Amino acid sequence: QVQLVESGGGLVQSGGSLRLSCVASGSFFSIDVMAWYRQAPGKQRELVARTLKIGSTNYADSVKGRFTIARDNAKNTVYLQMDSLKPEDTAVYYCNADVLLGVLSRPLEFWGQGTLVTVSS
């Protein structure tokens, strides 16, 4: 059906930057919301940022001013530019999308497999 594949994670020093990418592939009509979540060890998964198809965005308070979410609808891709990274940003980052499989269908939620971001102090 639909696959979300993340890339761009890795190890970075505190204050550094990383850019995550997530590409959606498969058979579908359109994608509504695209978002990034993260889950740190021993913690619940939390929303980092999300963007609607029309372009509006929301951010968690903890990343406002440091992270930027953007999407390329033509490429079915969402990006997360992460600047001024802190050790507390260390987590597995997951791509999430609400996908319409058909023109009259309700959106279904899909998740990527996750990409690890480690920020060293």
Side-chain angles (χ1 to χ4, degrees):
Q1 270 188 339
V2 178
Q3 283 191 320
L4 302 178
V5 180
E6 303 104 331
S7 61
L11 174 64
V12 64
Q13 288 189 333
S14 182
S17 297
L18 280 176
R19 188 192 193 209
L20 305 182
S21 300
C22 171
V23 181
S25 63
S27 178
F28 52 88
F29 175 69
S30 69
I31 303 175
D32 186 8
V33 181
M34 299 191 83
W36 288 96
Y37 286 73
R38 68 185 181 186
Q39 187 167 20
K43 294 189 176 181
Q44 288 189 327
R45 190 174 297 188
E46 62 175 0
L47 176 67
V48 176
R50 69 172 188 168
T51 175
L52 303 183
K53 189 174 182 179
I54 58 174
S56 59
T57 58
N58 300 101
Y59 295 92
D61 288 342
S62 59
V63 306
K64 282 181 182 177
R66 300 188 298 121
F67 290 11
T68 303
I69 190 170
R71 65 189 283 173
D72 184 333
N73 291 325
K75 296 181 179 179
N76 295 318
T77 300
V78 63
Y79 307 96
L80 185 67
Q81 177 66 40
M82 304 185 293
D83 299 317
S84 302
L85 282 161
K86 305 175 182 180
E88 51 263 44
D89 294 317
T90 296
V92 177
Y93 284 71
Y94 296 91
C95 179
N96 171 275
D98 289 344
V99 180
L100 282 76
L101 300 183
V103 64
L104 298 178
S105 65
R106 293 172 177 259
L108 296 178
E109 186 177 49
F110 291 89
W111 291 89
Q113 80 288 352
T115 185
L116 178 62
V117 172
T118 304
V119 184
S120 63
S121 56

